[in-house]
Amino acid sequence: MTVDRAVLAFAGLMVLVSVALAHWVSPWWLLLTVFVGANMLQAAFTGFCPAAIVFKKVGIRTGCAFQ
């Protein structure tokens, strides 16, 4: 697995978790979905992603998107 795929998997997991929490706990959890989407959008344009930095430090090999 590369950092690129790990970031996508993590973002997808966070969206699913926030939707589940919004359904069973409080609709305010949808703000987490908004944050994840905004972070993915800015990472597409800037190349800066905090999750990618963490995954690199953990030792996951880099892909072509986050070098």
Side-chain angles (χ1 to χ4, degrees):
M1 176 166 297
T2 64
V3 169
D4 307 343
R5 289 178 185 236
V7 167
L8 291 173
F10 183 69
L13 177 67
M14 288 295 100
V15 168
L16 292 175
V17 166
S18 70
V19 169
L21 287 170
H23 178 71
W24 283 301
V25 179
S26 169
W28 286 101
W29 280 103
L30 290 175
L31 290 175
L32 179 59
T33 303
V34 172
F35 173 75
V36 170
N39 191 21
M40 290 177 66
L41 186 62
Q42 73 83 24
F45 289 104
T46 65
F48 174 75
C49 179
I53 295 169
V54 171
F55 288 137
K56 280 187 218 175
K57 290 188 182 210
V58 173
I60 299 176
R61 65 184 169 93
T62 60
C64 59
F66 301 108
Q67 292 180 350

